[in-house]
Amino acid sequence: MKIAIIGTGYVGLVAAVCFADWGHEVVCVGRNGEKIARLREGLAPIFEPGLEAAIVRNLTSGRLSFTLDTAEAVASAEAAFIAVGTPGWENSREANLTSVYAAARQIAEAMTGSLVVVTKSTVPVGTSDAVERIIRDIRPELKSAVVSNPEFLREGAAIGDFLRPDRVVIGTKEAWAEDVLRRIYQPLQQASVPIVVTRRNTAELIKYASNAFLATKIGFINEMADLCEQVGADVTELALGVGLDHRIGKEFLSASPGYGGSCFPKDTDALLHTAHEYGVPMRIVESAVAVNDARKRRMATKIIKAVGGSVDRLTIAVLGLTFKPDTDDMRDAPSVAIIRDLQNAGARISAFDPQGTENAKQCLEGVRFWSDPYDCARDADAVVVMTAWDVVKSLDLDRLRKVMRSPVMVDLHNIYVPEAVQRHGFRLVGVGRPDQLTSITRPNAYSVPEPQFGAVSAKS
Ligand code: NAD
């Protein structure tokens, strides 16, 4: 089947290569000539494991091509996927749907025959109705259907997730459109992946409900981690004991500096906006968002306490910047807020990230970036394990301690085993576990003054 995809970001590109791997003929539409030229040479504009190889493979097979011309992509296609960004508006919780509506107009103007238009982007309930109105206003003479088909892939594991999803959601009540979607996803049907066919607005809401639930789970375990610290319990063991209950599940029960990235923050916001519009209280999601916002400041405070109550003129080495490992995506990464708080409190920041440095430079200022974790930690007064990259998880602790001024490690993911780290001469502060630093200095642990956040300006 010939498929057009509008958008060459994380979702558009991953969908394109996976559809092509399944034997479909895919034409992917971008709007940046330089990026399209590089894609035609097999160069991915983003870091996502396996993506570049899949682009090259499918360019070579002739099943994948890239264009700036929507007409070229949509002509003779049976389906056109909208996979453009839906960020939040500045100073508002509402989703910005400008790109979705622009893509819908592009598609409508390019249509030559009947077409199924698929909203793959995460869009608020009712958006596909609006997309349908755009298509039918512009091309009333052509048969069309708009289907909601939300995407659940995770950056860093996107291709595997797309090829082996937990479910495929198809939002339509039109049988011919459902048939087109079922033919596209035929390999998954054969692999017995559940296909949920539902109303279009339910499909749109499933995506937001899923992300809001996962965000809530993260907020929940982080609050449990805070309680663990106060009562001397261990959140990692707590999460195991809780998560082994199959009604709860082990996933998303790791204490952390909070969620970030291009989806959870904006999607929880957009859901709250929708709920507010319809006058429906959504206190659980509101709390999850508030807990997550507070989490970042709490982590900055934890780091400041770990070095004795003030980071003024101290060097803090931050290992990992992206919101999760195996991506270069810095959108809403917790590292940004935490680093700004530390800078406001007078810290000098050295930072290392295997893939995210270029994007990090766009949202952080006054930071020294390094391409090696040991160079980053040189003369540091503390290292902070911010993102659980493999290279950050397997540090040579002897080497690390030797280059540091002061052997303090703040591990915001509980990667390192306290006893092992202490054997290498470190003082370790983790998240939600009996705090080694606190237990060493317990008499003063609660008399450390609250850190003061100054007013160093930061780029937003
Ligand atoms: P992205 O910002 O990486 O990519 C969007 C792309 O669309 C950009 O390359 C942009 O240039 C392009 N674009 C915008 N308007 C266009 C137009 N009119 N014509 C051609 N190209 C256009 O975004 P993303 O991360 O791929 O996310 C896309 C959507 O999928 C969002 O709604 C997001 O919430 C959702 N989603 C993302 C993920 C994820 O992990 N990134 C997972 C599931 C769902």
Side-chain angles (χ1 to χ4, degrees):
M1 182 188 302
K2 183 176 169 192
I3 298 171
I5 297 185
I6 317 298
T8 51
Y10 292 87
V11 170
L13 285 177
V14 169
V17 297
C18 292
F19 287 157
D21 271 341
W22 291 341
H24 300 303
E25 184 196 333
V26 182
V27 185
C28 207
V29 185
R31 52 180 184 176
N32 175 325
E34 206 177 306
K35 194 164 141 184
I36 291 296
R38 287 170 61 79
L39 280 163
R40 284 175 176 156
E41 287 170 24
L43 299 170
I46 51 170
F47 174 74
E48 179 59 44
L51 179 62
E52 206 157 75
I55 292 172
V56 171
R57 182 169 66 242
N58 285 295
L59 284 173
T60 309
S61 74
R63 287 195 297 271
L64 175 64
S65 59
F66 296 97
T67 182
L68 291 166
D69 179 8
T70 313
E72 180 190 329
V74 169
S76 73
E78 279 189 68
F81 282 73
I82 298 176
V84 300
T86 50
W89 288 102
E90 195 129 348
N91 304 322
S92 161
R93 291 194 140 152
E94 192 177 358
N96 177 346
L97 300 173
T98 312
S99 295
V100 171
Y101 296 144
R105 278 191 293 275
Q106 271 169 245
I107 291 169
E109 281 155 12
M111 277 170 71
T112 54
S114 69
L115 185 71
V116 175
V117 178
V118 187
T119 44
K120 179 65 108 179
S121 298
T122 302
V123 290
V125 61
T127 304
S128 299
D129 297 349
V131 169
E132 185 170 83
R133 283 195 294 277
I134 291 171
I135 307 277
R136 294 205 172 144
D137 277 357
I138 297 175
R139 301 315 292 267
E141 77 286 10
L142 294 177
K143 183 179 172 189
S144 63
V146 176
V147 177
S148 166
N149 172 223
E151 182 50 54
F152 300 95
L153 63 77
R154 297 161 300 168
E155 286 175 23
I159 292 185
D161 285 351
F162 200 94
L163 295 174
R164 289 177 295 280
D166 291 334
R167 77 302 208 186
V168 173
V169 174
I170 298 175
T172 183
K173 286 294 169 205
E174 300 203 45
W176 73 278
E178 179 186 331
D179 176 63
V180 169
L181 269 287
R182 282 189 181 275
R183 281 192 284 126
I184 291 171
Y185 287 106
Q186 180 66 19
L188 298 185
Q189 292 202 79
Q190 278 165 348
S192 301
V193 171
I195 311 267
V196 179
V197 181
T198 180
R199 299 169 71 96
R200 204 163 53 188
N201 55 4
T202 307
E204 290 171 331
L205 214 43
I206 284 172
K207 173 67 189 176
Y208 285 101
S210 302
N211 276 0
F213 189 85
L214 293 172
T216 305
K217 220 173 162 187
I218 292 171
F220 175 83
I221 200 65
N222 281 335
E223 284 201 324
M224 290 309 300
D226 291 343
L227 184 58
C228 284
E229 285 177 14
Q230 296 307 313
V231 301
D234 184 323
V235 74
T236 308
E237 290 166 12
L238 176 138
L240 182 66
V242 170
L244 281 170
D245 184 328
H246 72 274
R247 295 169 302 176
I248 298 172
K250 285 184 281 185
E251 303 263 337
F252 281 75
L253 281 184
S254 298
S256 70
Y259 62 76
S262 66
C263 291
F264 285 7
K266 76 163 175 73
D267 291 349
T268 45
D269 273 354
L271 179 62
L272 289 175
H273 180 82
T274 301
H276 183 73
E277 262 186 338
Y278 286 84
V280 177
M282 211 154 265
R283 295 195 192 94
I284 292 173
V285 181
E286 258 167 26
S287 299
V289 171
V291 165
N292 199 62
D293 287 346
R295 187 83 191 147
K296 296 163 202 164
R297 174 143 293 184
R298 214 176 162 87
M299 293 301 99
T301 302
K302 177 186 278 290
I303 295 162
I304 294 169
K305 282 187 175 171
V307 294
S310 169
V311 283
D312 194 25
R313 286 187 288 277
L314 298 189
T315 299
I316 307 297
V318 177
L319 303 183
L321 293 168
T322 50
F323 79 100
K324 63 190 289 193
D326 295 324
T327 183
D328 57 355
D329 201 339
M330 280 297 296
R331 288 178 282 187
D332 268 319
S335 64
V336 175
I338 296 169
I339 285 173
R340 285 179 185 161
D341 273 354
L342 293 173
Q343 288 176 318
N344 284 339
R348 301 182 183 112
I349 304 293
S350 287
F352 159 78
D353 192 278
Q355 294 291 341
T357 302
E358 286 315 307
N359 288 335
K361 285 178 181 168
Q362 310 303 313
C363 46
L364 287 166
E365 47 184 34
V367 171
R368 292 189 75 187
F369 294 98
W370 300 90
S371 55
D372 175 88
Y374 304 97
D375 289 342
C376 175
R378 189 168 302 283
D379 296 328
D381 296 284
V383 288
V384 177
V385 173
M386 185 73 77
T387 312
W389 285 94
D390 280 347
V391 61
V392 176
K393 282 157 66 175
S394 54
L395 293 166
D396 176 337
L397 295 176
D398 277 335
R399 188 174 162 200
L400 188 70
R401 184 179 40 71
K402 280 184 191 137
V403 298
M404 292 178 66
R405 189 175 7 243
S406 170
V408 176
M409 176 186 277
V410 184
D411 179 358
L412 299 183
H413 292 276
N414 293 341
I415 289 164
Y416 286 94
V417 178
E419 297 72 27
V421 177
Q422 282 166 345
R423 264 202 307 279
H424 291 275
F426 278 92
R427 287 184 293 144
L428 178 74
V429 178
V431 184
R433 57 188 184 189
D435 183 331
Q436 288 67 47
L437 182 62
T438 305
S439 62
I440 291 165
T441 60
R442 187 164 291 283
N444 299 322
Y446 300 105
S447 60
V448 173
E450 279 298 314
Q452 298 299 304
F453 294 99
V456 172
S457 70
K459 219 156 102 178
S460 63

